[in-house]
Amino acid sequence: MDWQVWHDAYDSPDSWLTRRLRAVQDRIRYALDTAPPGPLRAVSVCAGQGRDLVEVLADHPRRDDVRARLVELDPGNASYARESADRAGLSQVEVVTGDAALTDHYLDLTPADLVLVCGVFGNIVDADIERTVDTCTRLCRTGGTVVWTRNRHAPDRVPLVCDWFEGRGFERLWLSDPDAGFGVGAHRFTGGKGGTGEGSELAAGQRMFDFVGYDVLKAEGAGADSHEAGA
């Protein structure tokens, strides 16, 4: 899979990917709008070209409050994100070219106020989705928000993803309609029953998932994304 070419669908205003991007950006804006005063921290797992967070921060009133780290393995997409942040004057946005599944990349910025896990759950097996959701209890501060995506092709994993979040102390804030053509969710970490809270620190040297790719998973019959469904 050429992940730079995959991003070309963003250039079409009516593509499913552009519509999903708008939904994700709306959730990011809401999280920033409702965040407490003072410095904020954000991390993006498998950030791609960083369009979701960078485009919001570019003109958001809280832009200078946010220190962010975007982690992306593909060098071309990471370069795109870095250049976009530079053009927007977002000096507090760091783009790391590396394996986003490794917890080491996030240690000094967690627990974060905003955690983005977009384009991940449709490219990994179910056990790794659950493991990543569990890790979000340490990536995200109490009161912080996780924004995530997952396609709704059969077998629809979105209800299960919601169950995994909500069984770990997350409160559902918003979920896209089942017929939207994509799945976008936002959950706030309450640190309540089932959650580990901020007292449980993110451990170094841990792997959240193995990125398989929706094309491989689909070929294996694992219910992954098609290009039309989104990750």
Side-chain angles (χ1 to χ4, degrees):
M1 172 60 62
D2 186 330
W3 290 105
Q4 293 180 56
V5 172
W6 183 87
H7 281 74
D8 288 347
Y10 281 122
D11 297 326
S12 173
D14 297 321
S15 71
W16 68 265
L17 195 55
T18 298
R19 290 185 286 110
R20 191 189 75 173
L21 175 63
R22 294 190 192 110
V24 169
Q25 290 177 334
D26 285 346
R27 294 304 99 201
I28 293 173
R29 288 190 186 93
Y30 182 81
L32 296 177
D33 290 344
T34 57
L40 300 172
R41 297 186 287 192
V43 296
S44 181
V45 180
C46 292
Q49 295 180 349
R51 301 189 189 212
D52 44 17
L53 184 59
V54 171
E55 290 180 9
V56 171
L57 288 179
D59 59 3
H60 196 277
R62 300 293 305 272
R63 55 172 281 153
D64 294 330
D65 293 338
V66 180
R67 181 186 172 198
R69 179 169 300 145
L70 285 60
V71 185
E72 168 59 36
L73 183 62
D74 184 274
N77 285 331
S79 178
Y80 184 104
R82 194 174 295 112
E83 292 170 4
S84 296
D86 289 346
R87 284 195 303 270
L90 297 170
S91 59
Q92 292 175 260
V93 173
E94 176 190 8
V95 180
V96 173
T97 305
D99 186 348
L102 299 178
T103 56
D104 302 70
H105 292 303
Y106 313 101
L107 294 176
D108 60 328
L109 276 185
T110 55
D113 301 272
L114 175 64
V115 178
L116 302 181
V117 192
C118 299
V120 178
F121 292 160
N123 292 289
I124 62 179
V125 299
D126 287 356
D128 281 356
I129 298 175
E130 185 174 12
R131 183 179 299 109
T132 303
V133 170
D134 187 68
T135 306
C136 284
T137 65
R138 296 177 287 282
L139 289 170
C140 191
R141 72 166 182 85
T142 300
T145 300
V146 177
V147 180
W148 54 273
T149 65
R150 166 71 204 212
N151 78 87
R152 305 212 65 158
H153 276 195
D156 185 359
R157 292 294 190 259
V158 167
L160 188 56
V161 173
C162 288
D163 287 346
W164 284 331
F165 271 112
E166 290 154 23
R168 288 170 169 79
F170 285 87
E171 171 192 11
R172 189 185 309 187
L173 298 177
W174 188 84
L175 186 65
S176 58
D177 292 335
D179 59 354
F182 52 79
V184 174
H187 278 78
R188 177 187 292 125
F189 187 45
T190 69
K193 183 178 180 180
T196 57
E198 291 185 40
S200 180
E201 294 184 356
L202 186 67
Q206 301 298 305
R207 170 170 289 277
M208 291 182 276
F209 55 83
D210 289 316
F211 193 97
V212 179
Y214 65 78
D215 50 345
V216 175
L217 290 173
K218 183 183 179 185
E220 294 176 350
D225 289 325
S226 74
H227 184 78
E228 291 75 18

